């Protein structure tokens, strides 16, 4: 009998994208990003590129997704092929920090850390965006003062005002600002664990089950007790 699949490789299986974002909210952000038919769209830290695919699908634009996660990139290629987008969207296994090709529209959602943090990321993304270009940028933030436990857990997160200070310092103009609501956060956190919870139900007697159960319980406990309703996530459509 074949061994059960690796639960760690299933962690994204139930997720539409790796960010707290509803489909309606995503549609709003892409509308504000205003991708044109001749635009080149780059998603740095794309994962499997679902948002990138939705950005280019309606109007003939082309895109490239950049990430170091080979499994995610292969999933993105399958999704692109299923929609007939394989000739317009390319997935590249590379470090986002080393990417130097400009694009008319850029996406960077939850990936500022791979570009050196919020400030350096916004500055670098400005270098890759020509005048008249736009950026869809997503980053965690505090909209209210965090608890001590949350601040310790997410020491690198800035208040929203600090995030906007970096936006302006990098020369961006804010075309749109919105934050994830509680339902988006709950769905994100739940779907991130869902495939592993399902694995645990199917394979409760597996040698790995105890470790998986303890890890999932600790993650859920941290979410509910420490940062649910406290940590925020901001989406910005920026122009220059």
């Amino acid at each position: 009998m074949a061994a059960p699949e690796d639960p760690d490789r299933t962690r994204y299986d139930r997720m539409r994208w790796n960010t707290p974002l509803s489909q309606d909210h995503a549609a709003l952000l892409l509308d504000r990003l205003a991708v044109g038919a001749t635009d080149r769209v780059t998603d740095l830290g794309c994962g499997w590129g679902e948002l990138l695919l939705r950005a280019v699908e309606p109007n003939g634009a082309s895109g490239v997704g950049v990430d170091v996660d080979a499994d995610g990139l292969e999933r993105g290629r399958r999704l692109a092929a299923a929609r007939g987008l394989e000739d317009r969207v390319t997935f590249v296994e590379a470090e986002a920090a080393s990417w130097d090709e400009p694009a008319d529209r850029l996406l960077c959602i939850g990936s500022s850390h791979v570009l050196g943090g919020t400030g350096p990321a916004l500055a670098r993304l400005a270098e890759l965006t020509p005048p008249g270009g736009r950026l869809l940028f997503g980053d965690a933030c505090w909209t209210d003062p965090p608890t001590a436990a949350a601040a310790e857990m997410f020491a690198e997160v800035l208040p929203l005002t600090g995030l906007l200070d970096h936006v302006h310092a990098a020369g961006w103009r804010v075309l749109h600002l919105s934050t994830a609501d509680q339902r988006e956060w709950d769905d994100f956190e739940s779907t991130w664990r869902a495939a592993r919870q399902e694995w645990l139900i199917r394979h409760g007697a597996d040698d790995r089950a105890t470790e998986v159960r303890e890890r999932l319980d600790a993650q859920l406990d941290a979410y509910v007790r420490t940062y649910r309703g406290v940590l925020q996530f901001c989406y910005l459509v920026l122009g220059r």
Side-chain angles (χ1 to χ4, degrees):
M1 181 182 297
E5 69 272 21
D6 181 354
D8 286 335
R9 295 193 67 176
T10 71
R11 70 178 62 200
Y12 303 121
D13 286 3
R14 296 292 179 265
M15 304 183 79
R16 182 176 295 110
W17 33 56
N18 190 16
T19 191
L21 183 65
S22 68
Q23 297 202 63
D24 288 345
H25 196 171
L28 171 65
L29 296 174
L30 292 178
D31 177 72
R32 300 296 189 266
L33 190 62
V35 177
T38 62
D39 284 341
R40 177 74 165 173
V41 184
T42 297
D43 188 346
L44 295 177
C46 67
W48 53 93
E50 176 63 31
L51 205 56
L52 170 64
L53 295 174
R54 295 191 186 203
V56 306
E57 188 170 12
N59 56 14
S62 62
V64 58
V66 181
D67 208 297
V68 295
D69 179 3
D71 289 341
L73 294 169
E74 184 55 36
R75 178 179 174 183
R77 294 183 187 107
R78 293 194 302 270
L79 290 171
R83 300 182 205 182
L85 297 174
E86 64 269 36
D87 293 333
R88 290 201 277 131
V89 181
T90 303
F91 289 91
V92 179
E93 187 172 351
E95 296 281 352
S98 66
W99 193 256
D100 60 2
E101 296 182 16
D104 305 291
R105 299 290 187 267
L106 280 95
L107 296 86
C108 183
I109 307 293
S111 296
S112 63
H113 61 284
V114 303
L115 296 173
T118 302
L122 287 162
R124 178 58 181 152
L125 292 163
E127 295 173 350
L128 297 176
T129 309
R134 295 188 182 191
L135 163 68
L136 172 53
F137 186 76
D139 213 11
C141 67
W142 307 116
T143 54
D144 293 305
T147 63
E152 182 179 0
M153 181 175 288
F154 300 99
E156 74 286 355
V157 172
L158 298 172
L160 179 57
T161 52
L163 171 57
L164 291 175
D165 287 343
H166 284 299
V167 167
H168 295 141
W172 294 103
R173 301 303 303 169
V174 178
L175 303 174
H176 173 85
L177 181 156
S178 54
T179 56
D181 64 25
Q182 193 58 63
R183 184 172 181 176
E184 288 175 303
W185 265 110
D186 287 345
D187 183 58
F188 166 65
E189 288 281 341
S190 296
T191 54
W192 183 63
R193 283 183 289 275
R196 286 172 292 166
Q197 297 282 25
E198 292 166 353
W199 180 94
L200 191 59
I201 291 169
R202 293 193 305 271
H203 304 296
D206 188 278
D207 291 343
R208 296 164 290 183
T210 298
E211 179 186 353
V212 172
R213 182 181 299 107
E214 290 175 351
R215 193 183 334 146
L216 289 173
D217 289 350
Q219 290 166 351
L220 178 59
D221 189 72
Y223 174 55
V224 172
R225 294 180 184 275
T226 304
Y227 64 96
R228 184 181 186 273
V230 180
L231 182 66
Q232 249 311 345
F233 200 90
C234 182
Y235 297 98
L236 297 160
V237 178
L238 307 173
R240 59 182 304 273

